[in-house]
Amino acid sequence: MPELIEWPCDFPRCDLLVLQDWAICEYCFEVRCSEHDTDEHHECNSLDSREARKQKKQDSKRSYLAGLLERLQEHATVIIDQASKLHHGLSCNLIIPENTDQLLESGLLAGFNVHFKLNFQDGTKWLLRIRQDQGHRIPLEIRHSNIASEVATLNTLNAGGLPVPAAFLPPSLEQELPFDYFFYEFLEGETWHIPKHPFYSVTLPDEKLVQLVEGYAQIQVKLSQMTIPVNKIGCLRHNSSQELSVGPIIARGCFQKPQSPYLLGPFDTMKDRYLAHIDAALRYIALGAICSWDPVDAYLWHLELRELVSSNGMMAQPLKEVFIKHDDEKGDHIMWNEKGEVVGVLDWEWAYVTSKGEAFSSPYIFYDMQDYIRGSNELTKEEHMLMGCYERQNRPDLVDCVKNGRLYQRLTRIGQYDSAYGKEGFREPFRPIPISDFDPPSSDTDWRVYMMKRYNGEEALQKVMAKYGWSVERAEKEAQEYNKEKK
Ligand SMILES: [Zn+2]
Ligand SMILES: [Zn+2]
């Protein structure tokens, strides 16, 4: 998901700015303003089959990667020179695939990044990690913070004894290259593909699932033993005197601002952090940038989340200690050796430091399934397995984090309103809710009326309602019809 910032329309001679999730078309990698997002001016609108869209996406990816290979060739000597200076002046080879086919077959493409091998004369192996930007480079202030934060996180983890590669920041400010990158050590090992249907558990054989949960627990225990000498919530970075500090949150989605300086935070309390996130979501919804399929309910729902977070005493407490949270725990971030031991943990982009409760809540691959979507907060089989691992390691504190993790897991939906997610599921972890008149009805249609009346003085909500043709009267009428049908 690209950053939620303003992107200029890519139609020739159009300079309108587009603020929308998926502003960069996922098939052609181009931006179209509403005026040019027509069949005539945007060919993807006429791609009439899944196959055709898939093909278009593949073509765009290939052409983007071909361009990247060309740019890398052009600047290879600078890269090699930088790497050499960072590694005792030793010379090295940068392995650049000859063409896109070779690159695609190299196994060095990984989600949002692409890697190239660097071999030094002393046998040391590094990777050059380049961000994939689909031809739309994010603004300098975000990308510098993003790279600097991943490098600071990797080195903090590496120094703390985690199986994480040490990373090296290029001196790129002087001679900026047309892509964003850093260097890190090459780790031997392999990652597993973890198949996960949105409704069900990960589909792994029992034995492998046990191994995954145990490997995950092992990493989390190590993370819990690290002392991070900061106490704010945000992304790690090194300040000008190379001391570890906490900078703003560098996140995907709506946890930012559409214009410079873009980034939010750092924060002193979980309450401040989540209110900032919710307020950012409210602003983006009002601008029509997110949740555009259901903007009014999305706005109302975020107002409800705002009340839940505002009234929560635990979240308002200052933090005494913070822990590093990996922000992309898909399961394939863990590297294994042939004996089935964890030998590495990858992809620390967007990792941040946060409260213990949030850092050790379980990852979505262990809980996000059908019952959870419907609103159940029952712990899953995988979470019980994880708690079992922590118990065996005599870590009741981490067991509690899993047990009480739903509050933070539910808040990961900020900015992604979906009426399929039962609303009661979000309230339950906040109970008892110390708001005397908080009593939302169970059906969504009645809830909508309740929330509209509750917030009838909120100017921004009135604007969103007017923009999308909603009024309390319309909501009441729909609720009446719905209730009549139900009877
Ligand atoms: Zn397109
Ligand atoms: Zn345009």
Side-chain angles (χ1 to χ4, degrees):
M1 186 189 292
E3 272 69 11
L4 265 168
I5 56 175
E6 293 176 320
W7 297 101
C9 174
D10 285 324
F11 193 77
R13 290 178 301 283
C14 177
D15 51 11
L16 281 179
L17 296 172
V18 183
L19 180 62
Q20 186 77 53
D21 46 1
W22 307 110
I24 301 167
C25 171
E26 61 175 318
Y27 307 114
C28 66
F29 296 1
E30 290 200 6
V31 177
R32 287 288 181 281
C33 67
S34 53
E35 196 187 317
H36 293 119
D37 192 13
T38 57
D39 288 3
E40 191 191 348
H41 299 309
H42 185 191
E43 62 168 322
C44 300
N45 288 337
S46 334
L47 298 172
D48 49 9
S49 68
R50 181 191 282 222
E51 202 44 50
R53 285 190 290 271
K54 199 174 147 192
Q55 187 61 48
K56 180 75 193 165
K57 195 172 181 170
Q58 266 175 16
D59 293 347
S60 305
K61 179 148 195 164
R62 294 182 78 90
S63 115
Y64 165 68
L65 291 173
L68 181 63
L69 285 177
E70 240 172 69
R71 290 196 295 280
L72 185 56
Q73 281 288 7
E74 204 178 308
H75 299 281
T77 47
V78 177
I79 298 275
I80 288 167
D81 186 49
Q82 288 180 345
S84 162
K85 280 188 183 131
L86 289 165
H87 188 60
H88 321 297
L90 294 175
S91 64
C92 65
N93 285 326
L94 172 65
I95 318 290
I96 306 177
E98 274 169 33
N99 52 45
T100 337
D101 285 329
Q102 262 189 25
L103 176 60
L104 290 167
E105 283 158 20
S106 69
L108 293 170
L109 283 169
F112 295 90
N113 295 279
V114 50
H115 296 105
F116 299 92
K117 284 184 181 160
L118 280 152
N119 297 328
F120 287 90
Q121 65 185 105
D122 65 349
T124 303
K125 289 180 186 170
W126 280 9
L127 290 174
L128 167 69
R129 177 166 165 96
I130 301 185
R131 297 276 191 256
Q132 294 192 48
D133 64 13
Q134 300 175 323
H136 291 77
R137 217 165 173 199
I138 52 175
L140 189 77
E141 49 210 303
I142 308 182
R143 55 182 208 254
H144 275 176
S145 300
N146 177 304
I147 297 266
S149 146
E150 189 174 355
V151 169
T153 305
L154 286 166
N155 288 335
T156 305
L157 291 162
N158 179 275
L162 270 283
V164 162
F168 310 89
L169 209 52
S172 59
L173 288 172
E174 307 260 310
Q175 38 187 340
E176 222 198 353
L177 303 188
F179 41 81
D180 301 303
Y181 64 99
F182 65 90
F183 304 100
Y184 62 0
E185 292 169 343
F186 175 77
L187 289 187
E188 297 282 354
E190 60 164 35
T191 56
W192 297 349
H193 172 57
I194 312 283
K196 169 85 176 74
H197 183 283
F199 288 172
Y200 309 110
S201 299
V202 293
T203 32
L204 285 177
D206 286 351
E207 195 187 317
K208 210 135 192 199
L209 180 63
V210 169
Q211 220 178 325
L212 174 68
V213 176
E214 282 175 355
Y216 177 81
Q218 194 188 320
I219 300 159
Q220 294 301 97
V221 167
K222 278 195 184 149
L223 282 170
S224 75
Q225 290 162 342
M226 279 183 70
T227 306
I228 317 282
V230 291
N231 63 354
K232 285 184 192 294
I233 300 144
C235 289
L236 289 176
R237 65 175 178 193
H238 285 107
N239 62 21
S240 50
S241 43
Q242 287 310 300
E243 283 162 355
L244 194 65
S245 66
V246 185
I249 285 281
I250 299 140
R252 291 154 290 178
C254 72
F255 198 6
Q256 55 193 303
K257 284 192 279 194
Q259 285 108 11
S260 175
Y262 306 106
L263 305 176
L264 299 167
F267 304 97
D268 288 323
T269 65
M270 296 303 278
K271 180 175 164 178
D272 290 350
R273 176 251 182 267
Y274 276 102
L275 289 182
H277 198 168
I278 292 167
D279 286 342
L282 286 166
R283 284 194 297 271
Y284 279 112
I285 297 168
L287 290 165
I290 58 168
C291 306
S292 50
W293 58 93
D294 209 351
V296 171
D297 282 3
Y299 200 94
L300 294 169
W301 181 71
H302 282 85
L303 289 175
E304 181 179 325
L305 288 184
R306 200 174 202 294
E307 280 197 61
L308 295 175
V309 171
S310 295
S311 65
N312 187 281
M314 181 265 295
M315 296 177 81
Q317 299 296 320
L319 299 182
K320 291 194 190 80
E321 50 182 0
V322 292
F323 298 86
I324 298 177
K325 173 85 172 161
H326 192 289
D327 192 42
D328 202 14
E329 298 169 307
K330 297 200 297 287
D332 61 1
H333 62 302
I334 303 176
M335 289 182 87
W336 308 83
N337 66 12
E338 282 164 4
K339 288 185 256 170
E341 296 159 340
V342 175
V343 289
V345 192
L346 304 175
D347 295 330
W348 293 90
E349 187 180 359
W350 306 302
Y352 54 100
V353 288
T354 185
S355 72
K356 187 170 191 175
E358 181 175 29
F360 298 99
S361 59
S362 66
Y364 85 95
I365 50 165
F366 293 166
Y367 68 81
D368 199 0
M369 350 186 163
Q370 218 163 17
D371 288 349
Y372 176 83
I373 293 171
R374 288 198 191 110
S376 165
N377 289 314
E378 289 275 310
L379 293 168
T380 61
K381 175 184 85 178
E382 290 82 349
E383 289 177 314
H384 281 291
M385 289 164 68
L386 182 59
M387 285 157 61
C389 295
Y390 292 150
E391 268 161 19
R392 286 192 291 281
Q393 303 201 39
N394 196 22
R395 293 300 303 269
D397 55 329
L398 298 185
V399 173
D400 283 347
C401 292
V402 177
K403 224 182 256 175
N404 303 317
R406 286 290 182 265
L407 185 143
Y408 294 115
Q409 290 157 344
R410 289 289 177 186
L411 290 174
T412 60
R413 295 293 308 176
I414 292 171
Q416 307 175 70
Y417 175 71
D418 182 345
S419 61
Y421 279 77
K423 293 181 177 55
E424 190 48 36
F426 293 84
R427 295 167 195 143
E428 196 180 43
F430 283 90
R431 293 194 192 280
I433 300 165
I435 313 172
S436 57
D437 66 340
F438 183 78
D439 187 21
S442 59
S443 93
D444 274 10
T445 47
D446 290 332
W447 165 83
R448 185 185 296 132
V449 174
Y450 169 86
M451 288 301 288
M452 282 179 177
K453 288 185 173 169
R454 192 171 175 83
Y455 280 91
N456 70 4
E458 170 111 4
E459 205 183 315
L461 169 66
Q462 301 312 316
K463 278 191 190 156
V464 174
M465 284 169 59
K467 184 171 164 186
Y468 295 98
W470 278 92
S471 61
V472 179
E473 292 70 36
R474 177 181 159 191
E476 278 176 331
K477 206 170 150 223
E478 289 202 6
Q480 276 163 12
E481 278 164 16
Y482 173 82
N483 290 327
K484 214 191 290 171
E485 259 174 46
K486 234 176 76 180
K487 276 178 193 159

